[in-house]
Amino acid sequence: MKLIICVVNQDDTNDLIDALTADGHQATVISTTGGFLREGNATLLLGVSDEDVGNVLKIIQANCHTRVAYANPLLPTTELGVLHAPMPIEVQVGGAVVFVLDVERFERY
Ligand code: 2BA
């Protein structure tokens, strides 16, 4: 068994969960915040059999879309301590960041 941890854009979450549940998979959704952009995203936890991993990854890929976001880097200062106006930098977010972990043991009581 594997545990798939999947960080996705909030806007893709509903479609992704619909597609996963329609295919018979179970998921837990946690509201999370990206450490870089400090914007809300969603993290899904999915316990799946080894043979289902490929199919779940395909569903994630099909339902999560890449987006462009702008981040404001920390204000740089000169030696005299004068602040420069920050230039937003463009970053590509997602579609999905996925970790696949081995599950040592799974119990349901
Ligand atoms: P954030 O941390 O808010 O990052 C959003 C996007 O900003 C990232 O997209 C990446 O393109 C860019 N980015 C992140 N850190 C950066 C840095 N130090 N310098 C320049 N650009 C940077 P994704 O890579 O698609 O990541 C989307 C979200 O997935 C992340 O949101 C974070 O919540 C999660 N994530 C990504 N990689 C992770 C990792 N290795 N461990 C845990 N969570 C991760």
Side-chain angles (χ1 to χ4, degrees):
M1 189 180 198
K2 304 286 186 203
L3 176 66
I4 298 179
I5 301 174
C6 172
V7 185
V8 301
N9 192 288
Q10 275 176 336
D11 296 339
D12 291 331
T13 310
N14 282 339
D15 285 348
L16 176 57
I17 293 167
D18 286 349
L20 288 166
T21 50
D23 207 49
H25 305 290
Q26 293 193 31
T28 294
V29 186
I30 306 170
S31 293
T32 46
T33 303
F36 187 66
L37 294 177
R38 312 288 165 96
E39 287 178 2
N41 52 27
T43 299
L44 275 65
L45 305 179
L46 299 132
V48 300
S49 63
D50 287 7
E51 56 268 26
D52 280 345
V53 170
N55 192 35
V56 167
L57 294 182
K58 275 187 202 154
I59 294 172
I60 293 170
Q61 211 174 355
N63 286 277
C64 296
H65 310 289
T66 304
R67 292 170 173 82
V68 172
Y70 294 89
N72 280 312
L74 292 175
L75 282 178
T77 58
T78 66
E79 284 179 16
L80 297 172
V82 178
L83 294 177
H84 291 290
M87 289 287 292
I89 58 164
E90 189 179 293
V91 291
Q92 272 213 345
V93 187
V97 172
V98 182
F99 305 87
V100 181
L101 289 71
D102 285 324
V103 173
E104 193 170 314
R105 184 170 161 174
F106 171 75
E107 303 281 355
R108 178 183 279 127
Y109 298 108

